[in-house]
Amino acid sequence: MVNDPAAQDSLYSADAAQDGMLDRESDQPVNDTWITTKVKSSLLADSDVSGLDINVETVNGVVTLSGDVEQQSQVEHATRIAREIEGVTDVNNTALVAR
């Protein structure tokens, strides 16, 4: 584990960028990683949404949900789940589409 916070931030940013998760850099990559993980795991645990079909990205506390789901109600439910996660400042669901 890296003890230098600046080095940790660089590692998280590099990992996220390498994974294609972020189009822009975050001012809080550790918190964003936690938020993304928490939102994704909450979606996967919920039987009313298709968590495997929803991609989650977080930049500076703003969660972006994308992918295809079967019903508009799943878009709304996934958005509600994301909003309830601690640290989330906003949710962008314009790329989450009901088929």
Side-chain angles (χ1 to χ4, degrees):
M1 175 166 273
V2 179
N3 291 329
D4 178 13
Q8 278 184 328
D9 288 351
S10 296
L11 288 173
Y12 283 108
S13 293
D15 287 346
Q18 182 179 11
D19 291 342
M21 292 177 61
L22 302 176
D23 293 334
R24 55 192 181 265
E25 286 189 34
S26 173
D27 295 332
Q28 57 179 27
V30 175
N31 289 341
D32 286 345
T33 300
W34 183 88
I35 290 169
T36 297
T37 302
K38 185 65 177 167
V39 170
K40 187 65 177 179
S41 64
S42 296
L43 292 172
L44 289 169
D46 193 291
S47 61
D48 292 333
V49 295
S50 183
L52 291 175
D53 296 329
I54 301 174
N55 298 311
V56 180
E57 296 180 28
T58 308
V59 177
N60 295 323
V62 178
V63 173
T64 300
L65 303 175
S66 61
D68 296 321
V69 293
E70 293 183 15
Q71 302 172 10
Q72 182 61 32
S73 63
Q74 291 177 316
V75 172
E76 294 161 7
H77 191 66
T79 302
R80 218 174 10 259
I81 288 170
R83 286 188 202 282
E84 293 175 356
I85 302 300
E86 180 181 344
V88 173
T89 58
D90 197 12
V91 177
N92 177 349
N93 65 3
T94 57
L96 187 57
V97 180
R99 294 182 240 151

